[in-house]
Amino acid sequence: MSSRDRDVAVAFARLAAACDGAIVGLALAAFAAASWVKYVAASAALRRISAAPSAPISGLRSLLDSSSSSSSEEVPLLVVVRGQVQPSPALEALGGWAFSQNNGALTPRGSDDRAVAILDTQTVLYNEWRGIFAWSFDLQALFAKPWKERRSCSLRTVPFVLVEGGNWPNSGYVHVNLDGSTHPLPLRQVHHELRPVQVTPYTFFQVMFATGFPVALLEEEKILPVGKEITAIGICRERDGAIEIKSCQELPCFLSEMTKDEIAAELSSNTRILFWSGIMLGTLSVGILGYALIRNLWRWREWRMRRRSHNEDLHNDAMMDDTMGQEDVPDGELCVICLQTRRRSAFIPCGHLVCCHPCAMRVVCDPSPKCPVCRQNVRSSIRIYGS
């Protein structure tokens, strides 16, 4: 770690420990609140997935009919189905669909596989060079996403269906609707290539000022192949005489390679982790915030007591100086500030005895204390008593 990075880390550590760790306690409380929010969402999703019926594709229509007959209102039906991926048929014949083995699928480059979804990702890899002048943005290196990698993604899809693998093409099917879905797809990588980037004249300025210059281009291609066995968890409905399944945004997944039991087990494990994380972070944050509150409360009380004692001392000194001020004081011994009482306090380090005690205390308590005579910085004052 460089000296600049170490200095920035020390500065953030001091900031986090400010106010006896109150900032750390607030950060832990925020993480605990986020864990509890995720726990509530995961628990609700787990209950919905566990209660969702797992039906074969051929029995979806009867399930929809029974659901609509049992309820007068149209309620979305959440189901779990498992089947093989096949491209949607492109020809219509006799009120049904005529499946074709070579129609409607995508072909990825460098592979003979057939796919219904292709994700092309290009990642520009940047160097670790900080520049000739060692200029860098340390805060971004600590907290932001590493800016040495910049990505661009493009997803191509074709309409596809899920069919029962053992009975296709004689079995039923369900259309998969990806509109509005933000869930990841169970893709498989088929292409991976790393190519060096050609140096340009602009790279010289990037090297000089450490803005980062590209050194390689990583190209990846992932596909959802035809014939893959996947599980779909979503809202099932009948549309234009065909059955389709659509993603539910409240659930953490839509299409997955795992079965319903495996998805429920993984989600149950995540909920337990979130639950205990929320308890641990919440308990730790409450302890740190309680400690910081008690410590700052005691400091505030001590400050009030010191201030009260200081005000009483000033009042007593003023009364004493008023009593002594009734005597005749020569002009050369009067305070240069109030011109009423005798000079009794000397400033440190200059040593000038030019003020009474109350005026000297006011000078010392000033944000930028300076001697009224020599204008030198004052650290404190000392009371002078005459014998």
Side-chain angles (χ1 to χ4, degrees):
M1 181 184 292
S2 65
S3 60
R4 293 188 61 200
D5 293 337
R6 185 166 52 253
D7 294 340
V8 172
V10 170
F12 275 98
R14 290 177 179 175
L15 178 63
C19 300
D20 294 311
I23 296 180
V24 175
L26 292 175
L28 291 176
F31 285 122
S35 298
W36 281 110
V37 170
K38 293 180 180 179
Y39 166 74
V40 172
S43 299
L46 178 60
R47 288 193 298 268
R48 295 190 64 182
I49 292 176
S50 300
S54 181
I57 296 177
S58 56
L60 287 179
R61 190 172 297 275
S62 60
L63 187 62
L64 286 174
D65 294 339
S66 61
S67 176
S68 59
S69 61
S70 61
S71 177
S72 58
E73 298 181 359
E74 185 177 355
V75 179
L77 178 62
L78 183 68
V79 298
V80 181
V81 296
R82 186 169 180 85
Q84 287 185 357
V85 175
Q86 293 292 337
S88 295
L91 300 177
E92 188 174 330
L94 300 177
W97 297 97
F99 287 86
S100 175
Q101 292 287 346
N102 300 318
N103 193 19
L106 300 174
T107 302
R109 57 180 176 177
S111 176
D112 296 332
D113 296 333
R114 298 166 58 244
V116 296
I118 299 178
L119 177 64
D120 294 315
T121 304
Q122 291 185 344
T123 305
V124 182
L125 302 180
Y126 280 70
N127 70 320
E128 296 285 350
W129 174 252
R130 289 182 177 269
I132 295 179
F133 304 107
W135 293 348
S136 63
F137 191 39
D138 295 324
L139 296 181
Q140 186 176 11
L142 286 174
F143 295 101
K145 182 180 179 180
W147 70 302
K148 62 182 179 179
E149 297 184 0
R150 299 179 184 175
R151 300 191 177 191
S152 62
C153 300
S154 63
L155 178 63
R156 294 175 292 157
T157 60
V158 295
F160 65 97
V161 296
L162 293 182
V163 299
E164 293 181 8
N167 301 323
W168 184 79
N170 298 321
S171 64
Y173 58 90
V174 57
H175 289 271
V176 179
N177 189 350
L178 295 177
D179 296 340
S181 175
T182 58
H183 300 94
L185 299 176
L187 304 177
R188 173 171 61 88
Q189 183 170 310
V190 295
H191 180 73
H192 182 92
E193 182 179 2
L194 183 64
R195 297 185 301 175
V197 176
Q198 186 177 3
V199 178
T200 62
Y202 179 66
T203 308
F204 172 75
F205 297 99
Q206 293 176 315
V207 173
M208 288 287 294
F209 298 102
T211 57
F213 63 93
V215 295
L217 178 65
L218 177 62
E219 295 184 353
E220 295 177 311
E221 191 171 51
K222 298 180 180 180
I223 65 170
L224 180 59
V226 174
K228 186 173 184 177
E229 192 85 11
I230 63 173
T231 300
I233 305 176
I235 305 299
C236 186
R237 62 181 180 179
E238 188 173 355
R239 184 177 180 182
D240 298 333
I243 301 176
E244 73 170 13
I245 187 169
K246 189 176 182 179
S247 66
C248 181
Q249 298 301 327
E250 290 79 11
L251 299 181
C253 63
F254 176 38
L255 302 177
S256 175
E257 298 178 352
M258 298 183 293
T259 62
K260 176 185 176 180
D261 295 336
E262 293 174 345
I263 295 174
E266 182 179 5
L267 195 56
S268 177
S269 175
N270 293 337
T271 54
R272 286 195 297 269
I273 293 175
L274 292 172
F275 176 77
W276 290 110
S277 298
I279 289 181
M280 293 178 61
L281 292 176
T283 304
L284 191 59
S285 64
V286 169
I288 293 177
L289 290 176
Y291 170 79
L293 180 62
I294 294 174
R295 287 279 298 176
N296 286 280
L297 182 61
W298 277 105
R299 287 181 179 179
W300 178 72
R301 290 179 178 177
E302 292 176 358
W303 174 80
R304 285 193 62 186
M305 294 177 63
R306 286 197 303 267
R307 184 177 180 182
R308 184 180 301 173
S309 177
H310 177 68
N311 292 336
E312 292 177 355
D313 292 341
L314 288 179
H315 179 69
N316 295 333
D317 292 338
M319 293 182 62
M320 184 181 298
D321 290 337
D322 290 342
T323 303
M324 294 180 178
Q326 295 177 0
E327 303 175 356
D328 293 336
V329 180
D331 293 341
E333 297 182 6
L334 287 175
C335 173
V336 297
I337 295 179
C338 66
L339 298 176
Q340 293 180 356
T341 55
R342 190 184 297 272
R343 305 175 182 178
R344 295 191 179 279
S345 292
F347 293 111
I348 299 174
C350 64
H352 285 122
L353 180 63
V354 292
C355 294
C356 62
H357 185 64
C359 293
M361 293 302 297
R362 295 189 188 97
V363 171
V364 172
C365 294
D366 191 82
S368 179
K370 295 182 181 296
C371 176
V373 177
C374 64
R375 307 305 297 171
Q376 184 177 350
N377 291 330
V378 173
R379 292 200 304 266
S380 62
S381 66
I382 183 172
R383 181 73 177 267
I384 305 298
Y385 295 93
S387 57

